[in-house]
Amino acid sequence: MIVGSWLPARVARVIPATPTARVLELDVPGWPGNLPGQHLDLRLTAEDGYQAERSYSVASSGPGTSVELAVDRVPDGEVSPYLTEVIEVGDSVEVKGPLGAYFVWREDDPSPVQLIAGGSGIVPLLAMARARVRADVTTPFRLLYSVRSRADALYSAELDRLAEGGIDVTWAYTRQAPDGWAGTVGRVSPASIADAVWRPTDGSMTFVCGPTSFVEAVADTLVSAGHDPLRVRTERFGGA
Amino acid sequence: MAEPGPLSVHEGVPDRAKVTLLDGNALAGRLAGVLGAEPTLARLTCSHCRSVSVLAESVVEQDDGGAIVRCRSCTRTLLTVVERAGEIRLTFAALASAELPAVTPG
Protein backbone atom coordinates (compact mmCIF):
# COMPACT_ATOMS: atom_id res chain seq x y z
CA MET A 1 0.00 0.00 0.00
CA ILE A 2 1.36 3.41 -0.89
CA VAL A 3 0.73 6.00 1.76
CA GLY A 4 -0.56 9.25 0.37
CA SER A 5 -0.21 12.73 1.70
CA TRP A 6 -1.64 14.35 4.81
CA LEU A 7 -5.40 14.07 5.21
CA PRO A 8 -7.45 16.71 7.03
CA ALA A 9 -9.19 15.28 10.09
CA ARG A 10 -11.83 16.72 12.41
CA VAL A 11 -12.25 15.80 16.06
CA ALA A 12 -15.70 14.20 16.28
CA ARG A 13 -15.67 13.03 19.93
CA VAL A 14 -13.51 13.52 22.99
CA ILE A 15 -13.94 10.96 25.77
CA PRO A 16 -12.02 11.22 29.05
CA ALA A 17 -10.48 7.82 29.72
CA THR A 18 -8.15 8.13 32.73
CA PRO A 19 -6.91 11.14 34.74
CA THR A 20 -4.22 11.63 32.05
CA ALA A 21 -5.66 10.07 28.90
CA ARG A 22 -8.43 10.69 26.40
CA VAL A 23 -10.04 8.73 23.63
CA LEU A 24 -10.32 10.84 20.46
CA GLU A 25 -12.59 9.97 17.59
CA LEU A 26 -11.48 11.59 14.36
CA ASP A 27 -13.53 11.95 11.23
CA VAL A 28 -11.07 11.55 8.34
CA PRO A 29 -12.67 11.90 4.89
CA GLY A 30 -10.63 9.77 2.51
CA TRP A 31 -9.34 7.39 5.19
CA PRO A 32 -9.04 4.04 3.37
CA GLY A 33 -9.71 1.92 6.46
CA ASN A 34 -6.99 0.13 8.39
CA LEU A 35 -5.84 -3.22 9.73
CA PRO A 36 -5.81 -3.93 13.49
CA GLY A 37 -2.48 -2.80 14.94
CA GLN A 38 -1.66 -0.09 12.41
CA HIS A 39 -0.81 3.47 13.39
CA LEU A 40 -0.92 6.93 11.89
CA ASP A 41 1.18 10.06 12.01
CA LEU A 42 -0.67 13.09 13.39
CA ARG A 43 0.40 16.64 12.59
CA LEU A 44 -0.50 19.86 14.39
CA THR A 45 0.11 23.24 12.78
CA ALA A 46 0.27 26.46 14.78
CA GLU A 47 -0.94 29.82 13.47
CA ASP A 48 2.66 30.82 12.75
CA GLY A 49 3.22 27.69 10.69
CA TYR A 50 5.17 25.69 13.28
CA GLN A 51 4.39 22.02 12.93
CA ALA A 52 4.75 19.04 15.24
CA GLU A 53 4.21 15.39 14.33
CA ARG A 54 3.79 12.24 16.42
CA SER A 55 2.79 8.64 15.75
CA TYR A 56 -0.32 7.18 17.41
CA SER A 57 -1.74 3.68 17.28
CA VAL A 58 -5.29 3.30 16.02
CA ALA A 59 -7.76 1.58 18.35
CA SER A 60 -10.28 1.00 15.58
CA SER A 61 -9.92 -1.11 12.44
CA GLY A 62 -11.79 -2.07 9.32
CA PRO A 63 -13.43 0.14 6.70
CA GLY A 64 -14.88 3.57 7.38
CA THR A 65 -13.64 7.10 7.92
CA SER A 66 -14.03 7.21 11.71
CA VAL A 67 -10.64 6.69 13.36
CA GLU A 68 -10.26 6.14 17.10
CA LEU A 69 -7.10 7.06 19.00
CA ALA A 70 -6.34 6.93 22.71
CA VAL A 71 -3.68 9.37 23.86
CA ASP A 72 -1.97 9.43 27.25
CA ARG A 73 -0.21 12.60 28.35
CA VAL A 74 3.56 12.37 28.21
CA PRO A 75 5.06 14.61 30.94
CA ASP A 76 6.95 17.45 29.21
CA GLY A 77 5.56 16.24 25.89
CA GLU A 78 4.91 18.67 23.10
CA VAL A 79 1.90 17.14 21.35
CA SER A 80 0.20 14.86 23.88
CA PRO A 81 -0.63 17.63 26.41
CA TYR A 82 -2.47 19.43 23.62
CA LEU A 83 -4.38 16.31 22.61
CA THR A 84 -5.24 15.33 26.19
CA GLU A 85 -6.08 18.74 27.63
CA VAL A 86 -6.79 21.32 24.97
CA ILE A 87 -8.25 19.92 21.76
CA GLU A 88 -12.04 20.04 21.40
CA VAL A 89 -14.74 18.60 19.21
CA GLY A 90 -14.65 20.38 15.86
CA ASP A 91 -10.91 21.12 15.94
CA SER A 92 -8.78 20.17 12.97
CA VAL A 93 -5.58 18.14 12.73
CA GLU A 94 -3.93 16.28 9.87
CA VAL A 95 -3.16 12.57 9.70
CA LYS A 96 -1.11 10.33 7.44
CA GLY A 97 -1.80 6.62 7.26
CA PRO A 98 -2.62 3.89 7.83
CA LEU A 99 0.99 2.97 8.57
CA GLY A 100 2.86 -0.25 9.25
CA ALA A 101 2.50 -3.82 8.04
CA TYR A 102 4.62 -5.52 10.69
CA PHE A 103 2.66 -4.96 13.90
CA VAL A 104 -0.62 -6.16 12.44
CA TRP A 105 -2.93 -9.09 13.23
CA ARG A 106 -4.52 -10.73 10.20
CA GLU A 107 -7.71 -12.64 10.85
CA ASP A 108 -6.79 -15.40 8.38
CA ASP A 109 -3.83 -16.36 10.60
CA PRO A 110 -5.14 -19.20 12.84
CA SER A 111 -2.16 -19.10 15.27
CA PRO A 112 -3.07 -18.51 18.90
CA VAL A 113 -2.41 -14.87 19.75
CA GLN A 114 -0.73 -13.43 22.80
CA LEU A 115 -1.13 -9.71 23.42
CA ILE A 116 1.11 -8.04 26.02
CA ALA A 117 0.55 -4.35 26.79
CA GLY A 118 2.25 -1.89 29.08
CA GLY A 119 0.24 1.26 29.81
CA SER A 120 -1.12 2.94 26.68
CA GLY A 121 0.48 0.16 24.63
CA ILE A 122 -2.96 -1.40 24.95
CA VAL A 123 -4.27 0.68 22.00
CA PRO A 124 -3.11 -1.39 18.98
CA LEU A 125 -3.70 -4.60 20.94
CA LEU A 126 -7.27 -3.56 21.72
CA ALA A 127 -7.76 -3.03 17.98
CA MET A 128 -6.66 -6.64 17.47
CA ALA A 129 -8.89 -7.99 20.26
CA ARG A 130 -11.88 -6.04 18.94
CA ALA A 131 -11.20 -7.38 15.44
CA ARG A 132 -10.99 -10.94 16.77
CA VAL A 133 -14.36 -10.61 18.53
CA ARG A 134 -15.92 -9.08 15.42
CA ALA A 135 -14.47 -11.61 12.98
CA ASP A 136 -16.07 -14.96 12.34
CA VAL A 137 -13.08 -16.88 13.69
CA THR A 138 -12.26 -18.83 16.84
CA THR A 139 -8.56 -17.92 17.07
CA PRO A 140 -7.57 -18.20 20.75
CA PHE A 141 -6.53 -14.82 22.18
CA ARG A 142 -4.84 -13.98 25.45
CA LEU A 143 -4.03 -10.53 26.78
CA LEU A 144 -1.62 -9.59 29.55
CA TYR A 145 -2.10 -5.94 30.51
CA SER A 146 0.38 -4.26 32.85
CA VAL A 147 -0.77 -0.95 34.37
CA ARG A 148 0.13 1.09 37.43
CA SER A 149 -3.38 0.78 38.85
CA ARG A 150 -6.91 0.12 37.70
CA ALA A 151 -7.50 3.88 37.42
CA ASP A 152 -4.59 4.17 34.97
CA ALA A 153 -5.97 1.48 32.67
CA LEU A 154 -7.37 2.52 29.31
CA TYR A 155 -10.55 0.76 28.21
CA SER A 156 -10.89 -1.19 31.48
CA ALA A 157 -14.66 -1.69 31.19
CA GLU A 158 -14.37 -2.83 27.58
CA LEU A 159 -11.57 -5.23 28.49
CA ASP A 160 -13.82 -6.80 31.12
CA ARG A 161 -16.45 -7.34 28.42
CA LEU A 162 -13.83 -8.85 26.10
CA ALA A 163 -12.95 -11.24 28.88
CA GLU A 164 -16.59 -12.31 28.96
CA GLY A 165 -16.47 -12.65 25.17
CA GLY A 166 -13.83 -15.36 25.23
CA ILE A 167 -10.59 -13.41 25.33
CA ASP A 168 -8.44 -14.47 28.24
CA VAL A 169 -7.39 -11.28 30.07
CA THR A 170 -4.71 -11.21 32.78
CA TRP A 171 -4.09 -7.98 34.67
CA ALA A 172 -0.78 -7.00 36.22
CA TYR A 173 -0.66 -4.03 38.60
CA THR A 174 2.71 -2.40 39.15
CA ARG A 175 1.77 0.11 41.90
CA GLN A 176 -1.66 -0.53 43.33
CA ALA A 177 -4.11 -3.40 42.90
CA PRO A 178 -7.89 -3.12 43.26
CA ASP A 179 -9.48 -4.19 46.55
CA GLY A 180 -9.71 -7.94 46.81
CA TRP A 181 -6.88 -8.57 44.33
CA ALA A 182 -5.33 -11.92 45.17
CA GLY A 183 -2.18 -11.59 43.10
CA THR A 184 1.06 -9.77 43.76
CA VAL A 185 1.73 -6.11 42.96
CA GLY A 186 4.83 -5.21 40.97
CA ARG A 187 6.43 -5.38 37.59
CA VAL A 188 5.86 -8.44 35.44
CA SER A 189 8.51 -11.10 36.01
CA PRO A 190 9.64 -14.15 34.02
CA ALA A 191 7.42 -16.27 36.28
CA SER A 192 4.33 -14.07 35.99
CA ILE A 193 4.78 -13.78 32.23
CA ALA A 194 5.17 -17.55 31.85
CA ASP A 195 1.96 -18.03 33.86
CA ALA A 196 -0.02 -15.67 31.62
CA VAL A 197 1.17 -16.55 28.12
CA TRP A 198 1.04 -19.49 25.72
CA ARG A 199 3.84 -22.04 25.98
CA PRO A 200 6.68 -21.78 23.46
CA THR A 201 5.42 -25.01 21.85
CA ASP A 202 1.91 -23.61 21.24
CA GLY A 203 2.97 -21.85 18.02
CA SER A 204 1.55 -18.53 19.14
CA MET A 205 2.09 -15.13 17.58
CA THR A 206 2.90 -12.56 20.25
CA PHE A 207 2.44 -8.79 20.02
CA VAL A 208 4.12 -6.63 22.67
CA CYS A 209 3.50 -2.88 22.87
CA GLY A 210 4.36 -0.31 25.49
CA PRO A 211 7.18 1.88 26.76
CA THR A 212 10.53 0.88 25.27
CA SER A 213 11.96 -0.51 28.53
CA PHE A 214 8.82 -2.61 29.15
CA VAL A 215 8.80 -4.02 25.62
CA GLU A 216 12.48 -4.95 25.72
CA ALA A 217 12.21 -6.63 29.14
CA VAL A 218 9.16 -8.64 28.05
CA ALA A 219 10.57 -9.62 24.65
CA ASP A 220 13.90 -10.70 26.19
CA THR A 221 12.01 -12.78 28.77
CA LEU A 222 9.93 -14.51 26.10
CA VAL A 223 12.94 -15.32 23.91
CA SER A 224 14.91 -16.58 26.92
CA ALA A 225 11.95 -18.82 27.78
CA GLY A 226 12.16 -20.42 24.33
CA HIS A 227 9.70 -18.39 22.25
CA ASP A 228 10.66 -17.98 18.59
CA PRO A 229 12.01 -14.41 18.24
CA LEU A 230 10.47 -14.19 14.77
CA ARG A 231 7.03 -14.71 16.34
CA VAL A 232 7.44 -12.05 19.02
CA ARG A 233 6.50 -8.77 17.35
CA THR A 234 7.16 -5.52 19.15
CA GLU A 235 6.24 -1.86 18.99
CA ARG A 236 7.88 0.67 21.28
CA PHE A 237 6.69 4.16 22.02
CA GLY A 238 9.55 5.52 24.08
CA GLY A 239 8.66 6.88 27.50
CA ALA A 240 9.92 5.65 30.81
CA MET B 1 5.53 26.52 35.96
CA ALA B 2 2.82 26.74 33.35
CA GLU B 3 2.01 23.61 31.40
CA PRO B 4 3.70 24.09 28.03
CA GLY B 5 1.20 23.98 25.20
CA PRO B 6 2.70 22.55 22.05
CA LEU B 7 1.54 25.37 19.86
CA SER B 8 2.28 28.31 22.08
CA VAL B 9 5.64 28.12 23.78
CA HIS B 10 7.96 26.71 21.15
CA GLU B 11 10.86 28.85 20.14
CA GLY B 12 11.30 27.44 16.67
CA VAL B 13 14.46 25.57 17.59
CA PRO B 14 14.29 21.80 18.02
CA ASP B 15 15.41 20.49 21.39
CA ARG B 16 18.09 18.14 20.14
CA ALA B 17 18.98 16.93 23.60
CA LYS B 18 15.64 15.17 23.89
CA VAL B 19 16.12 11.76 22.29
CA THR B 20 13.39 9.15 22.33
CA LEU B 21 14.29 5.48 22.02
CA LEU B 22 11.83 3.83 19.63
CA ASP B 23 11.85 1.23 16.88
CA GLY B 24 11.46 1.26 13.12
CA ASN B 25 7.66 1.26 13.28
CA ALA B 26 7.98 4.97 14.05
CA LEU B 27 9.54 5.65 10.63
CA ALA B 28 6.73 4.09 8.60
CA GLY B 29 5.11 7.38 7.65
CA ARG B 30 8.27 9.26 6.73
CA LEU B 31 9.87 6.48 4.70
CA ALA B 32 6.70 5.34 2.94
CA GLY B 33 6.54 8.66 1.16
CA VAL B 34 10.16 8.36 -0.01
CA LEU B 35 10.22 4.69 -0.93
CA GLY B 36 6.72 4.38 -2.33
CA ALA B 37 6.40 1.13 -0.39
CA GLU B 38 5.50 0.03 3.13
CA PRO B 39 8.91 0.15 4.82
CA THR B 40 8.46 -1.64 8.16
CA LEU B 41 8.91 -5.10 6.61
CA ALA B 42 12.09 -4.06 4.73
CA ARG B 43 14.87 -6.53 5.58
CA LEU B 44 17.99 -4.61 6.54
CA THR B 45 21.44 -6.24 6.52
CA CYS B 46 24.15 -4.77 8.72
CA SER B 47 27.53 -4.57 6.97
CA HIS B 48 29.33 -4.81 10.30
CA CYS B 49 27.81 -7.90 11.98
CA ARG B 50 25.84 -9.22 8.94
CA SER B 51 22.68 -9.66 10.99
CA VAL B 52 19.41 -9.24 9.13
CA SER B 53 16.37 -7.63 10.72
CA VAL B 54 13.22 -5.94 9.55
CA LEU B 55 13.12 -2.16 9.91
CA ALA B 56 10.28 -2.49 12.45
CA GLU B 57 12.64 -4.28 14.88
CA SER B 58 15.60 -1.94 14.39
CA VAL B 59 16.55 0.52 17.12
CA VAL B 60 15.49 4.09 16.35
CA GLU B 61 16.78 7.08 18.28
CA GLN B 62 14.60 10.03 17.42
CA ASP B 63 14.75 13.71 18.22
CA ASP B 64 13.19 16.74 16.60
CA GLY B 65 16.04 16.88 14.09
CA GLY B 66 15.60 13.36 12.74
CA ALA B 67 16.18 9.70 13.45
CA ILE B 68 19.15 7.34 13.71
CA VAL B 69 18.46 3.71 12.79
CA ARG B 70 20.76 1.26 14.55
CA CYS B 71 21.42 -2.47 14.22
CA ARG B 72 19.82 -4.20 17.21
CA SER B 73 22.62 -6.78 17.29
CA CYS B 74 25.77 -4.63 17.21
CA THR B 75 24.35 -1.05 17.63
CA ARG B 76 26.14 0.28 14.51
CA THR B 77 24.28 3.10 12.77
CA LEU B 78 22.59 1.67 9.67
CA LEU B 79 21.22 4.94 8.34
CA THR B 80 19.95 8.32 9.42
CA VAL B 81 16.73 10.05 8.38
CA VAL B 82 16.55 13.83 8.56
CA GLU B 83 13.52 15.83 7.49
CA ARG B 84 13.87 19.53 6.99
CA ALA B 85 11.99 22.14 4.98
CA GLY B 86 9.90 19.52 3.22
CA GLU B 87 12.93 17.45 2.20
CA ILE B 88 13.95 14.06 3.56
CA ARG B 89 17.64 13.20 3.59
CA LEU B 90 18.67 9.56 4.00
CA THR B 91 22.33 8.98 4.86
CA PHE B 92 23.48 5.39 4.62
CA ALA B 93 26.10 4.12 7.05
CA ALA B 94 26.43 0.45 8.01
CA LEU B 95 23.45 -0.57 5.89
CA ALA B 96 24.74 -3.25 3.48
CA SER B 97 21.38 -3.80 1.80
CA ALA B 98 17.66 -3.24 2.18
CA GLU B 99 15.17 -5.64 0.62
CA LEU B 100 11.66 -4.34 0.03
CA PRO B 101 8.67 -5.84 -1.70
CA ALA B 102 8.38 -4.46 -5.21
CA VAL B 103 5.53 -2.01 -5.71
CA THR B 104 3.20 -2.85 -8.54
CA PRO B 105 2.25 0.31 -10.43
CA GLY B 106 -1.48 0.73 -10.04
Side-chain angles (χ1 to χ4, degrees):
Chain A
M1 186 190 313
I2 298 179
V3 176
S5 49
W6 292 97
L7 297 169
R10 198 184 63 86
V11 179
R13 278 179 86 194
V14 174
I15 307 159
T18 75
T20 58
R22 279 172 160 184
V23 171
L24 301 178
E25 261 181 45
L26 305 180
D27 183 32
V28 190
W31 182 258
N34 62 278
L35 297 167
Q38 288 190 297
H39 65 275
L40 53 71
D41 285 354
L42 183 147
R43 180 163 79 177
L44 301 175
T45 304
E47 282 178 15
D48 65 359
Y50 175 77
Q51 294 185 319
E53 290 172 34
R54 292 294 182 276
S55 297
Y56 291 101
S57 291
V58 180
S60 50
S61 67
T65 58
S66 177
V67 176
E68 180 181 326
L69 311 179
V71 181
D72 199 5
R73 180 163 52 80
V74 178
D76 303 325
E78 187 182 40
V79 173
S80 65
Y82 183 77
L83 297 179
T84 54
E85 292 165 10
V86 180
I87 204 165
E88 294 176 358
V89 170
D91 286 350
S92 295
V93 299
E94 291 171 290
V95 301
K96 187 199 286 182
L99 302 173
Y102 177 73
F103 201 77
V104 165
W105 177 66
R106 296 172 197 276
E107 65 179 61
D108 59 1
D109 181 349
S111 311
V113 170
Q114 179 69 53
L115 310 174
I116 304 180
S120 57
I122 189 67
V123 178
L125 306 184
L126 177 73
M128 296 178 191
R130 285 173 166 176
R132 154 64 180 78
V133 169
R134 208 170 51 227
D136 187 21
V137 296
T138 54
T139 314
F141 261 56
R142 286 182 174 172
L143 165 67
L144 170 60
Y145 187 14
S146 171
V147 286
R148 280 173 300 195
S149 71
R150 182 81 183 184
D152 292 301
L154 285 163
Y155 297 109
S156 52
E158 182 171 351
L159 292 171
D160 288 341
R161 289 197 300 276
L162 287 176
E164 291 164 12
I167 292 181
D168 185 282
V169 179
T170 302
W171 292 81
Y173 299 101
T174 61
R175 298 269 176 83
Q176 189 187 0
D179 291 342
W181 173 251
T184 56
V185 173
R187 292 189 178 192
V188 291
S189 65
S192 68
I193 290 171
D195 279 348
V197 306
W198 300 101
R199 291 166 303 183
T201 50
D202 289 331
S204 57
M205 179 63 93
T206 302
F207 296 92
V208 188
C209 186
T212 299
S213 57
F214 172 86
V215 170
E216 297 195 348
V218 169
D220 287 350
T221 297
L222 291 170
V223 172
S224 297
H227 289 265
D228 179 356
L230 294 177
R231 297 181 68 79
V232 178
R233 299 203 164 189
T234 52
E235 186 163 82
R236 300 158 178 82
F237 59 66
Chain B
M1 201 173 73
E3 184 70 38
L7 301 182
S8 56
V9 298
H10 70 86
E11 313 210 315
V13 180
D15 178 3
R16 289 176 188 277
K18 213 169 151 185
V19 175
T20 307
L21 193 59
L22 299 167
D23 58 39
N25 292 299
L27 295 178
R30 261 169 291 170
L31 293 182
V34 180
L35 301 171
E38 207 302 306
T40 54
L41 293 174
R43 290 157 52 83
L44 310 183
T45 302
C46 174
S47 63
H48 179 72
C49 71
R50 306 308 301 180
S51 74
V52 181
S53 156
V54 292
L55 173 68
E57 289 287 355
S58 302
V59 175
V60 168
E61 295 174 6
Q62 182 168 277
D63 64 16
D64 286 341
I68 298 170
V69 182
R70 291 187 189 276
C71 173
R72 190 166 292 282
S73 298
C74 74
T75 76
R76 286 291 197 292
T77 296
L78 298 172
L79 72 153
T80 62
V81 183
V82 175
E83 189 169 8
R84 192 159 191 176
E87 216 176 68
I88 293 182
R89 170 176 295 200
L90 304 181
T91 305
F92 298 101
L95 181 63
S97 67
E99 297 164 59
L100 288 126
V103 179
T104 313

